[in-house]
Amino acid sequence: MFQGSGLPQFSYEGAQPAVADYFVQVRKNKEYKPSAETIRHVHEVLQLMAVLTKDRRFEEAQVGTSTEGGIAM
Protein backbone atom coordinates (compact mmCIF):
# COMPACT_ATOMS: atom_id res chain seq x y z
CA MET A 1 0.00 0.00 0.00
CA PHE A 2 2.31 2.79 1.22
CA GLN A 3 5.90 1.58 1.21
CA GLY A 4 7.96 2.84 4.11
CA SER A 5 5.07 4.80 5.60
CA GLY A 6 4.89 2.69 8.73
CA LEU A 7 1.25 1.88 7.92
CA PRO A 8 0.19 -1.78 8.04
CA GLN A 9 -0.03 -3.63 4.75
CA PHE A 10 -3.58 -4.85 4.10
CA SER A 11 -4.54 -7.58 1.68
CA TYR A 12 -8.22 -8.39 1.30
CA GLU A 13 -7.89 -11.55 -0.76
CA GLY A 14 -10.20 -11.21 -3.73
CA ALA A 15 -11.87 -8.10 -2.36
CA GLN A 16 -9.99 -5.40 -4.26
CA PRO A 17 -11.44 -6.21 -7.70
CA ALA A 18 -14.94 -6.55 -6.22
CA VAL A 19 -14.72 -3.23 -4.37
CA ALA A 20 -13.37 -1.47 -7.47
CA ASP A 21 -16.07 -3.08 -9.61
CA TYR A 22 -18.74 -1.82 -7.22
CA PHE A 23 -17.59 1.79 -7.54
CA VAL A 24 -17.20 1.60 -11.33
CA GLN A 25 -20.69 0.14 -11.80
CA VAL A 26 -22.33 2.65 -9.46
CA ARG A 27 -20.57 5.55 -11.16
CA LYS A 28 -21.42 4.39 -14.69
CA ASN A 29 -24.80 2.70 -14.24
CA LYS A 30 -26.11 4.19 -10.96
CA GLU A 31 -26.69 0.63 -9.72
CA TYR A 32 -24.67 -2.47 -8.86
CA LYS A 33 -25.08 -5.98 -10.24
CA PRO A 34 -23.02 -8.33 -8.04
CA SER A 35 -20.61 -10.85 -9.49
CA ALA A 36 -20.26 -14.48 -8.44
CA GLU A 37 -16.81 -13.75 -6.99
CA THR A 38 -16.33 -15.01 -3.43
CA ILE A 39 -15.06 -12.67 -0.72
CA ARG A 40 -13.18 -14.41 2.09
CA HIS A 41 -13.02 -11.57 4.64
CA VAL A 42 -16.64 -10.52 4.50
CA HIS A 43 -16.83 -8.61 7.79
CA GLU A 44 -13.80 -6.48 6.95
CA VAL A 45 -14.91 -5.78 3.38
CA LEU A 46 -18.39 -4.73 4.50
CA GLN A 47 -16.86 -2.42 7.11
CA LEU A 48 -14.58 -0.93 4.44
CA MET A 49 -17.52 -0.39 2.09
CA ALA A 50 -19.53 1.26 4.88
CA VAL A 51 -16.69 3.70 5.53
CA LEU A 52 -15.96 4.45 1.87
CA THR A 53 -19.61 4.98 0.92
CA LYS A 54 -20.83 6.44 4.23
CA ASP A 55 -23.67 3.93 3.95
CA ARG A 56 -24.37 1.86 7.07
CA ARG A 57 -26.43 -0.66 5.07
CA PHE A 58 -23.19 -2.57 4.41
CA GLU A 59 -22.69 -3.09 8.15
CA GLU A 60 -26.37 -3.88 8.67
CA ALA A 61 -26.24 -6.50 5.89
CA GLN A 62 -23.88 -8.68 7.89
CA VAL A 63 -25.94 -8.80 11.10
CA GLY A 64 -27.19 -12.32 11.69
CA THR A 65 -25.45 -13.86 8.68
CA SER A 66 -22.82 -16.55 8.71
CA THR A 67 -19.88 -15.66 6.51
CA GLU A 68 -17.90 -18.80 7.11
CA GLY A 69 -16.36 -19.96 3.85
CA GLY A 70 -16.89 -16.64 2.06
CA ILE A 71 -19.74 -14.91 0.34
CA ALA A 72 -20.37 -13.48 -3.13
CA MET A 73 -20.32 -9.72 -3.43
Side-chain angles (χ1 to χ4, degrees):
M1 181 180 256
F2 297 102
Q3 295 291 351
S5 66
L7 296 174
Q9 300 291 316
F10 293 103
S11 176
Y12 295 101
E13 297 172 24
Q16 292 169 337
V19 171
D21 184 52
Y22 171 83
F23 285 108
V24 168
Q25 284 191 43
V26 169
R27 182 177 54 84
K28 288 183 176 180
N29 307 325
K30 306 292 185 221
E31 60 183 55
Y32 175 67
K33 182 179 178 184
S35 69
E37 181 178 346
T38 300
I39 304 297
R40 290 183 46 189
H41 302 284
V42 178
H43 177 73
E44 291 83 358
V45 172
L46 290 174
Q47 283 182 325
L48 174 66
M49 293 298 292
V51 170
L52 292 176
T53 62
K54 297 179 182 152
D55 187 346
R56 297 201 42 95
R57 290 180 293 175
F58 288 101
E59 290 176 328
E60 294 166 1
Q62 67 186 341
V63 174
T65 58
S66 172
T67 56
E68 195 170 304
I71 191 169
M73 181 169 168

